[in-house]
């Protein structure tokens, strides 16, 4: 996990690793947070729901779509983790994830959210360079 400097940017030589549960300072945020999470989705209401859920748990979040703006947000925000919502448009989600990885926007895990993370989808995610796939919470439970 990157070491965060006073500016909120990763310190030189910092590397990503497993997301730890210790508190870290989150730049300009008034209170410490567990981690910074970037949520990319084509569904704005879904992004908002995921963001609210994560913020209630103590995480700082930023949201964007699958466009170039999402990659720019990743470079600017220095997230600890990127969650790519693959429920509505899985093909676009794979392209968005590949764009983050290719742009080398940072050294952070990129994880696909899917309603049904089957073994074949997991293999495809890992083959595409993503770090993992997790079951996305249903909107009704958020």
């Amino acid at each position: 996990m990157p070491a965060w400097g006073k500016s909120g940017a990763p310190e030189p030589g910092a590397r990503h690793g497993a997301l730890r549960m210790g508190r870290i300072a989150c730049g300009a945020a008034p209170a410490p947070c567990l981690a910074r999470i970037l949520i990319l989705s084509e569904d704005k209401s879904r992004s908002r729901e995921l963001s609210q859920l994560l913020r209630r748990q103590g995480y700082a979040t930023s949201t964007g779509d699958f466009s170039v703006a999402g990659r720019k947000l990743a470079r600017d925000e220095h997230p600890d983790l990127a969650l790519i919502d693959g429920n509505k448009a899985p093909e676009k989600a794979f392209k968005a994830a590949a764009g983050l990885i290719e742009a080398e926007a940072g050294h952070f895990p990129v994880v696909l959210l899917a309603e049904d993370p089957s073994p074949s989808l997991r293999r495809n995610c890992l083959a595409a360079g993503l770090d993992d796939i997790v079951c996305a919470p249903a909107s009704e439970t958020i």
Side-chain angles (χ1 to χ4, degrees):
M1 174 175 285
W4 296 94
K6 289 182 181 178
S7 69
E11 301 247 339
R15 298 175 48 140
H16 93 275
L19 192 62
R20 65 183 170 140
M21 296 316 242
R23 289 185 142 346
I24 58 172
C26 288
C33 64
L34 294 170
R36 297 176 189 200
I37 300 176
L38 174 62
I39 302 166
L40 296 183
S41 178
E42 289 294 286
D43 183 342
K44 290 187 188 298
S45 65
R46 177 103 172 127
S47 290
R48 191 170 35 256
E49 290 173 346
L50 288 169
S51 180
Q52 289 170 352
L53 172 71
L54 291 166
R55 285 177 186 224
R56 283 194 304 263
Q57 299 300 317
Y59 296 95
T61 62
S62 298
T63 59
D65 58 23
F66 293 163
S67 69
V68 174
R71 290 192 296 272
K72 181 179 182 329
L73 191 60
R75 283 190 304 273
D76 294 347
E77 296 291 324
H78 306 288
D80 297 304
L81 172 70
L83 296 175
I84 311 291
D85 183 15
N87 288 329
K88 300 272 182 182
E91 297 81 21
K92 284 186 174 183
F94 273 113
K95 285 184 181 179
L100 280 179
I101 294 164
E102 287 173 15
E104 296 183 29
H107 298 288
F108 51 86
V110 178
V111 177
L112 182 75
L113 295 173
E115 287 179 7
D116 182 23
S118 66
S120 63
L121 184 56
R122 180 173 168 70
R123 281 191 299 276
N124 291 340
C125 284
L126 295 175
L130 280 81
D131 294 285
D132 208 350
I133 180 172
V134 295
C135 186
S139 292
E140 293 81 28
T141 63
I142 294 181

